[in-house]
């Protein structure tokens, strides 16, 4: 990785509290609003600026749709208890199938996105997913839940991922966050999804604690420092960053599983948001291609990179 330097100091320092909250569930309206603002802020530069601004427009549409929907219903208590008792995520992403409510939500989002300025290829992809039949939708949802998307339909899958985010962020928002617990290495305690990145938070009474973020449901879960976000190994953990960079973005590499996951420092930049900054720091991914480490995180807006 050209221009890489070892990291020391603040990114491996101990947080300000001994026992930070295990998890934080999202506020749907606040999450999409803040994410839109961050994408637009990141898009002020050159390079992939137009793409980041387009993603900001998607988040604006997500916020608008989420604000129009009725309040999400609480998870069935018996199903919730069963999942928690057996160490399973309360939201079973693997069992999700597009139903009438989801298709209605999706059409609202796709209708809003139809008016967004975009390249012709992006409009074609939007038309494709809007015209997909039930069987095609089920296959596309399964692809996204398995983090395995065909190259030729990446753009259409990204639109569907945006609809799935609304569905799962709303479902996660009503979970009892104090009851959530670990469901395994590299897995969101709410839906079981992989981390999109990790972030050193600047929250009151939890400043300096590290949290992983879920790309699907937006839940944040506590993950100790110097421990792989994918396999939880504490062996061979190293940190790399771009030389002369802002010092807020680092790649955590793991010798055990051969993966890397980005780590952002919200204490140095309070505007950082794991999902948006993961896309905005694409340059780190491009540089990491020159190393032996593979990307361990999943982001539907970084498909193809």
């Amino acid at each position: 990785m050209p221009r890489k330097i070892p990291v020391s100091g603040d990114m491996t320092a101990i947080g300000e509290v001994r026992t930070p909250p295990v998890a934080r569930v999202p506020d749907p309206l606040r999450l999409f609003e803040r994410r839109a603002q961050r994408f637009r802020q990141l898009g002020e530069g050159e390079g992939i600026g137009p793409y980041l601004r387009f993603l900001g427009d998607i988040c604006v549409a997500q916020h608008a749709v989420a604000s129009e929907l009725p309040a999400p219903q609480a998870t069935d208590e018996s199903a919730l208890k069963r999942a928690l008792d057996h160490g399973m995520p309360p939201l079973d992403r693997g069992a999700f199938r597009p139903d009438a409510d989801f298709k209605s939500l999706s059409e609202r989002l796709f209708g809003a996105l139809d008016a967004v300025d975009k390249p012709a290829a992006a409009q074609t992809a939007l038309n494709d997913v809007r015209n997909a039949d039930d069987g095609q939708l089920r296959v596309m949802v399964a692809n996204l839940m398995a983090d395995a998307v065909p190259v030729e339909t990446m753009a259409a899958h990204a639109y569907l991922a945006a609809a799935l985010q609304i569905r799962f962020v709303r479902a996660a928002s009503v979970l009892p966050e104090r009851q959530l617990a670990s469901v395994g290495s590299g897995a969101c305690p709410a839906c079981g999804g992989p981390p999109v990145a990790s972030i050193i938070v600047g929250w009151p009474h939890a400043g300096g604690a590290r949290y992983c973020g879920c790309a699907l449901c937006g839940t944040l879960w506590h993950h100790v420092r110097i421990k792989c976000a994918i396999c939880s190994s504490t062996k061979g953990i190293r940190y790399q960053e771009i030389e002369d960079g802002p010092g807020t973005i680092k790649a955590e590499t793991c010798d055990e599983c051969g993966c890397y996951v980005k780590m952002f420092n919200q204490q140095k930049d309070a505007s950082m948001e794991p999902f948006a900054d993961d896309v905005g720091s694409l340059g780190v991914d491009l540089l990491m291609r020159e190393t032996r480490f593979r990307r361990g995180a999943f982001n539907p807006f970084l498909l193809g990179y």
Side-chain angles (χ1 to χ4, degrees):
M1 177 179 178
R3 302 167 62 211
K4 64 182 179 181
I5 60 175
V7 173
S8 61
D10 62 354
M11 293 300 266
T12 55
I14 302 299
E16 297 172 7
V17 293
R18 180 172 296 179
T19 308
V22 172
R24 285 287 177 86
V25 298
D27 175 336
L29 299 186
R30 179 61 183 137
L31 182 144
F32 292 124
E33 179 182 47
R34 185 175 181 215
R35 195 172 282 176
Q37 292 172 346
R38 184 56 175 166
F39 270 127
R40 288 178 169 176
Q41 181 181 12
L42 292 168
E44 292 175 357
E46 299 179 356
I48 63 171
Y51 179 58
L52 295 173
R53 292 192 292 274
F54 172 61
L55 296 183
D57 290 338
I58 290 180
C59 293
V60 169
Q62 288 176 306
H63 177 270
V65 171
S67 66
E68 295 168 356
L69 295 173
Q73 296 183 345
T75 305
D76 178 77
E77 289 189 8
S78 61
L80 175 64
K81 184 178 185 304
R82 184 166 58 252
L84 295 176
D85 287 348
H86 291 83
M88 302 294 290
L91 307 178
D92 189 351
R93 56 187 269 142
F96 177 75
R97 301 291 182 272
D99 55 16
D101 287 342
F102 176 72
K103 286 185 279 189
S104 174
L105 177 159
S106 299
E107 183 52 37
R108 285 193 188 196
L109 177 65
F110 300 155
L113 293 177
D114 198 43
V116 172
D117 184 41
K118 65 181 78 63
Q123 183 62 48
T124 298
L126 179 59
N127 294 339
D128 289 343
V129 71
R130 291 186 80 176
N131 295 327
D133 60 31
D134 289 351
Q136 291 170 321
L137 279 179
R138 285 195 296 271
V139 170
M140 293 176 71
V141 166
N143 290 339
L144 286 165
M145 295 305 185
D147 305 336
V149 176
V151 174
E152 62 274 13
T153 56
M154 289 186 299
H157 277 78
Y159 287 121
L160 185 61
L164 286 168
Q165 285 178 336
I166 300 175
R167 163 64 173 76
F168 275 84
V169 167
R170 282 167 46 82
S173 71
V174 292
L175 291 176
E177 62 182 14
R178 292 187 179 182
Q179 297 181 42
L180 296 179
S182 174
V183 295
S185 299
C188 170
C191 74
V196 67
S198 68
I199 191 162
I200 307 301
V201 302
W203 306 337
H205 310 300
R210 176 193 183 190
Y211 283 77
C212 290
C214 179
L216 179 63
C217 76
T219 297
L220 298 173
W221 67 96
H222 182 245
H223 193 80
V224 300
R225 307 281 191 94
I226 322 179
K227 185 177 183 180
C228 178
I230 301 299
C231 73
S232 293
S233 173
T234 57
K235 299 178 181 178
I237 303 298
R238 297 179 178 84
Y239 299 87
Q240 301 184 38
E241 67 177 334
I242 296 177
E243 186 177 358
D244 300 324
T248 57
I249 307 170
K250 308 192 192 311
E252 179 185 75
T253 63
C254 175
D255 289 344
E256 290 293 300
C257 68
C259 293
Y260 76 90
V261 174
K262 295 174 195 169
M263 181 185 295
F264 304 109
N265 194 336
Q266 199 178 62
Q267 288 187 305
K268 288 189 174 183
D269 184 349
S271 65
M272 300 192 89
E273 196 276 337
F275 187 83
D277 278 276
D278 183 44
V279 184
S281 57
L282 173 61
V284 173
D285 296 290
L286 298 179
L287 291 173
M288 288 301 293
R289 283 183 176 180
E290 301 179 23
T291 74
R292 65 184 179 86
F293 298 100
R294 67 185 184 278
R295 182 177 164 88
F298 177 75
N299 190 320
F301 291 170
L302 273 180
L303 295 172
Y305 291 101

